[in-house]
Amino acid sequence: MRRYGIYAAMLLVVIANAVVLGGVQYNRSGTPEATVELTERELHVGYAHDENSRVSLSLNWNRMADRSEWFDRKRLEELGYDLSAMTDADEGAGRRYRSGQESKAYVVLEYDGAAWQAWLADERQKLEKMQSEVESGKVTAKTLESAQKRLVWNKANASRLLAVDVGRNPEALRQRYTDRSRYIITPALVRLNYRYPVKEKGVVKEPARYYGSISRILTDSIHVPGDMQTPLAALQKRSSKYRSPVYYEGAKETDPKQSRYRVTLVYGKRFEPWVSAVRMEN
Amino acid sequence: MQADAVTADEVKRPASKAEAQRRAEQIRSFNSELALLEQHGVVRLNDEARARIGAYHGRVLEELTGEFDIDVSSAARQMSLGMRAVSFLGALALSAAVFFFFYRFWGLLSTWGQVAILIAAPLILAAGAEFAARREKTLYFNSLISLVAFTAFVLDLSMLGQIFCITPSQNAFLVWGAFALLLAYTYRLKLLLVAGISCLMGYLAATMGTWCGLYWLSFGERPENFIVAGLLVFAAAFIPHKIQAEFANIYRVYGLLAALLAILILSHWGGGSYLPWQTRHIEYVYQIAGFALSGAAIWLGIRRAWPGVTNLGSTFFVIFLYTKLFDWWWKWMPKYLFFLLLGGIAVLILMVLKRARGRIKEVLS
């Protein structure tokens, strides 16, 4: 052991690194799985830090616009959640469905597509309804003004990357979403949400509800290689100057901003992304 | 007197530094006791016998010092303890330095420059550990460099994951654990053994979590994963440890500690269990399991003369008992009576443990 142990340890380091780099090579070989050009709205540049010289981009998918109506019982069952035994009378259902709640799946993210347009149309419709409610006195003018500002801000600044589907099999998802410049398929954590039935004096008023949601994208922090870092490094902000990427009441900076860069993001055979180009906007 | 017939070579060679140190302590105790016996006139050795014993012990100590660099005096032993502490603190500081150094400058390097540094660092440090081991018998520098090599390997795989945006996997724990164990067994390093066992326990707990439908990173949400991992580590102590016999105790105590801690958590937080029962019932089950396992640990520790296991079992038995008494009596009993009862129970436990101590002494003798 004394003689060979250290050589075995060194061999292990070499093999582990070879396996990791082999996987990277495999991911980047052949035709990319997807190639999407995204803007600052979808890829936020990380914060500058004295102790960390890295420049990274975080993938910002629009949770605000995520209604997840499509993430229904059928999808949950396709993902392997067994919902057959759940009834409103079942007291232990909530507990039982908690176990194994979060699991890995593949999520389809649509960039600037029908889901984004549908959300905008929905928001406009809500605003119109609100206008009529102001006239009837149900809603104040201030609330309406705030909602109008929010919509203007979201139209110009919010991420146009929306989750539109989920599944266990990424190849099957790609057959459904064939446009590789608009649809990203990426590994993510999904969760089963359970809402207990509403009962009144033992009578079920509202049945139990269960629906899926996306907890997080597993590869949402994207490293920017050294040769592309310089322009983005200049845009990095200190955390003390943090500006929320979503509109909020009382925000000082509510004006729409022009996206300052475009990034070409490529997804490989293992659905792992890398930055292939960074283009600054004039 | 048969001292002529016995040479240092014929005495069983110690398998480890700890065993060699015990042998040196034995010689020192013998000389102290002999001096006392002579002082009280119980026995008196003639000059020839004294010279033979002295010469024999001198040879033994010389050989042990030459091979294991043991401490032959209590002052040297104290110094060694200090050096071990300094070596540990130095290793921690250097590991932090490696981490922060890389983070500080990696943005200035090209991707392949980063990869080359990350791969080379653990290899160079492992070679450095071997070099240090060949130069010194005490292995203080070797221990320090080995721990930094382990840190560099952890940094290597985790940073490659970040650079290439690799989907995280629990397999990294398996590889880190194997690396730490290889270094620990090669150089008899207990600290790296603990690091290796921790990584393997993380791997086992995460793998069990995935078998039960969890994503591997959520393995901490279910303490039962650690009960299985802890018991597996405990079972690993039964694999014959011919070379590093002292490692078996670390497997036993660490494995049992993980299992008992997980049971303690579940005995108060049934919601964290996989079991599809009511939370209250799950907590009862784990309270009983906690008493049973800590009681079994005390019994096994006494029977096999494993003081570490006995002490751990006793500590957890008291914790389980006190938390249960708190649940039962704290609200309705006057505080003075509650603490009086705790004190009384402590006395009772002391009496039981005193008997157990006597039993251990019998077994050891």
Side-chain angles (χ1 to χ4, degrees):
Chain A
M1 188 70 195
R2 174 72 183 81
R3 187 179 293 176
Y4 303 112
I6 191 63
Y7 300 116
M10 290 168 90
L11 187 65
L12 182 69
V13 172
V14 173
I15 292 172
N17 278 285
V19 169
V20 171
L21 294 177
V24 171
Q25 180 57 33
Y26 171 75
N27 181 53
R28 298 188 177 191
S29 62
T31 313
E33 210 289 320
T35 305
V36 189
E37 194 181 51
L38 301 172
T39 69
E40 188 178 2
R41 293 164 68 166
E42 290 77 33
L43 284 170
H44 292 155
V45 67
Y47 304 113
H49 199 287
D50 285 341
E51 294 295 340
N52 189 351
S53 54
R54 175 200 197 198
V55 177
S56 66
L57 295 164
S58 57
L59 190 71
N60 173 38
W61 63 282
N62 198 329
R63 286 166 183 268
M64 179 183 56
D66 177 35
R67 301 291 160 82
S68 295
E69 278 121 3
W70 50 267
F71 207 160
D72 52 10
R73 180 183 184 128
K74 185 170 163 268
R75 292 279 193 320
L76 284 166
E77 284 179 336
E78 279 170 6
L79 291 174
Y81 290 104
D82 179 15
L83 305 172
S84 57
M86 186 156 63
T87 64
D88 291 331
D90 186 355
E91 296 285 340
R95 262 205 50 69
R96 207 166 49 251
Y97 285 106
R98 247 174 54 78
S99 55
Q101 216 176 27
E102 209 166 49
S103 62
K104 187 183 164 189
Y106 288 89
V107 167
V108 181
L109 297 174
E110 183 191 66
Y111 175 57
D112 200 8
W116 168 248
Q117 294 304 331
W119 181 76
L120 281 181
D122 195 25
E123 290 297 299
R124 276 192 215 104
Q125 206 174 358
K126 276 186 200 163
L127 213 56
E128 281 166 21
K129 192 181 166 206
M130 204 181 270
Q131 263 165 343
S132 63
E133 283 173 343
V134 169
E135 285 158 22
S136 63
K138 277 188 189 169
V139 173
T140 64
K142 198 179 171 191
T143 310
L144 175 66
E145 189 191 347
S146 179
Q148 282 168 333
K149 271 188 189 172
R150 190 185 301 123
L151 183 59
V152 171
W153 193 93
N154 281 332
K155 263 175 78 177
N157 292 1
S159 170
R160 289 159 291 180
L161 205 55
L162 272 74
V164 292
D165 207 346
V166 66
R168 277 258 182 262
N169 184 347
E171 285 81 20
L173 288 171
R174 180 50 79 197
Q175 281 175 3
R176 264 184 274 165
Y177 302 93
T178 51
D179 187 348
R180 291 174 191 267
S181 62
R182 188 179 294 279
Y183 294 101
I184 295 170
I185 296 173
T186 180
L189 286 187
V190 295
R191 182 174 280 275
L192 166 69
N193 300 283
Y194 177 85
R195 192 175 295 168
Y196 284 93
V198 179
K199 290 181 182 175
E200 221 171 83
K201 291 174 186 169
V203 181
V204 177
K205 291 278 175 192
E206 258 183 64
R209 267 196 68 212
Y210 40 89
Y211 55 96
S213 64
I214 298 159
S215 305
R216 76 178 182 97
I217 304 292
L218 283 172
T219 51
D220 59 352
S221 177
I222 299 144
H223 176 75
V224 181
D227 50 341
M228 299 177 212
Q229 279 185 7
T230 315
L232 292 176
L235 304 178
Q236 280 187 312
K237 289 194 173 191
R238 300 271 156 193
S239 55
S240 59
K241 292 178 183 171
Y242 174 75
R243 181 173 65 87
S244 170
V246 293
Y247 176 84
Y248 60 96
E249 296 296 333
K252 285 179 184 168
E253 285 185 80
T254 54
D255 294 337
K257 297 233 171 196
Q258 181 71 35
S259 179
R260 294 172 293 179
Y261 53 85
R262 284 178 174 275
V263 173
T264 307
L265 204 59
V266 185
Y267 281 76
K269 284 180 181 162
R270 295 203 314 187
F271 304 92
E272 289 163 354
W274 71 94
V275 173
S276 78
V278 176
R279 188 158 59 85
M280 300 308 287
E281 300 277 22
N282 292 322
Chain B
M1 277 295 189
Q2 297 295 311
D4 279 344
V6 183
T7 64
D9 295 336
E10 284 168 337
V11 176
K12 190 187 156 206
R13 272 171 51 84
S16 65
K17 189 182 173 183
E19 212 174 297
Q21 188 66 53
R22 273 199 296 277
R23 177 85 176 100
E25 298 292 331
Q26 197 181 329
I27 292 170
R28 211 151 55 89
S29 304
F30 171 81
N31 287 330
S32 315
E33 185 60 25
L34 184 63
L36 265 181
L37 289 173
E38 284 184 335
Q39 200 181 326
H40 291 102
V42 179
V43 73
R44 185 162 295 281
L45 295 181
N46 59 33
D47 290 347
E48 193 198 345
R50 193 188 304 278
R52 275 189 208 156
I53 292 173
Y56 170 71
H57 280 164
R59 275 202 311 280
V60 171
L61 289 175
E62 198 181 329
E63 280 178 19
L64 293 178
T65 311
E67 193 172 347
F68 295 99
D69 201 5
I70 54 160
D71 303 314
V72 287
S73 69
S74 57
R77 201 160 181 214
Q78 292 299 320
M79 281 290 287
S80 288
L81 281 174
M83 285 170 76
R84 218 175 294 164
V86 170
S87 162
F88 171 63
L89 292 174
L92 284 186
L94 281 175
S95 300
V98 168
F99 249 98
F100 285 113
F101 178 80
F102 192 78
Y103 268 98
R104 180 102 192 182
F105 295 108
W106 71 314
L108 310 175
L109 305 167
S110 70
T111 302
W112 293 111
Q114 292 166 352
V115 171
I117 290 174
L118 287 169
I119 297 173
L123 289 173
I124 291 168
L125 285 161
E130 174 63 14
F131 178 73
R134 287 182 186 185
R135 297 284 296 235
E136 51 144 18
K137 295 183 188 82
T138 48
L139 299 181
Y140 293 117
F141 285 99
N142 164 270
S143 158
L144 188 149
I145 300 169
S146 296
L147 199 63
V148 182
F150 172 68
T151 309
F153 189 41
V154 172
L155 183 76
D156 171 18
L157 295 191
S158 54
M159 295 310 277
L160 285 185
Q162 286 190 43
I163 292 168
F164 296 111
C165 215
I166 298 167
T167 313
S169 151
Q170 76 264 33
N171 294 339
F173 280 113
L174 183 63
V175 184
W176 291 328
F179 184 72
L181 289 188
L182 278 168
L183 291 180
Y185 276 90
T186 305
Y187 303 120
R188 295 176 174 148
L189 303 174
K190 288 181 184 168
L191 199 61
L192 271 167
L193 180 72
V194 171
I197 294 174
S198 305
C199 289
L200 288 186
M201 226 187 270
Y203 172 77
L204 290 170
T207 305
M208 191 193 156
T210 57
W211 289 344
C212 297
L214 285 178
Y215 181 60
W216 77 269
L217 272 173
S218 313
F219 68 93
E221 291 175 15
R222 295 279 183 273
E224 274 138 343
N225 296 331
F226 289 95
I227 299 177
V228 176
L231 292 178
L232 283 172
V233 168
F234 182 80
F238 291 96
I239 298 168
H241 281 68
K242 283 180 188 164
I243 311 169
Q244 274 82 11
E246 69 271 23
F247 280 9
N249 189 43
I250 296 176
Y251 279 101
R252 275 193 293 267
V253 173
Y254 198 15
L256 200 59
L257 176 70
L260 283 168
L261 262 179
I263 291 174
L264 182 66
I265 293 167
L266 284 165
S267 70
H268 295 277
W269 178 51
S273 170
Y274 284 115
L275 298 171
W277 308 331
Q278 278 188 19
T279 308
R280 207 155 32 100
H281 294 164
I282 294 168
E283 287 170 2
Y284 290 154
V285 165
Y286 279 108
Q287 282 161 13
I288 294 166
F291 280 116
L293 187 61
S294 49
I298 297 171
W299 173 79
L300 193 67
I302 293 169
R303 199 176 165 79
R304 294 288 194 102
W306 293 334
V309 173
T310 311
N311 292 339
L312 190 71
S314 313
T315 308
F316 270 89
F317 193 87
V318 170
I319 293 171
F320 279 113
L321 186 65
Y322 276 22
T323 48
K324 202 62 224 156
L325 294 182
F326 181 86
D327 285 348
W328 283 337
W329 297 336
W330 180 254
K331 279 188 182 160
W332 67 269
M333 194 178 268
K335 302 296 169 265
Y336 77 90
L337 198 57
F338 177 79
F339 286 112
L340 188 70
L341 268 170
L342 287 195
I345 288 165
V347 171
L348 202 69
I349 291 170
L350 268 178
M351 286 166 72
V352 172
L353 289 177
K354 199 179 166 191
R355 288 193 65 178
R357 187 167 166 262
R359 177 88 181 98
I360 288 180
K361 273 186 180 171
E362 272 174 36
V363 173
L364 283 174
S365 65

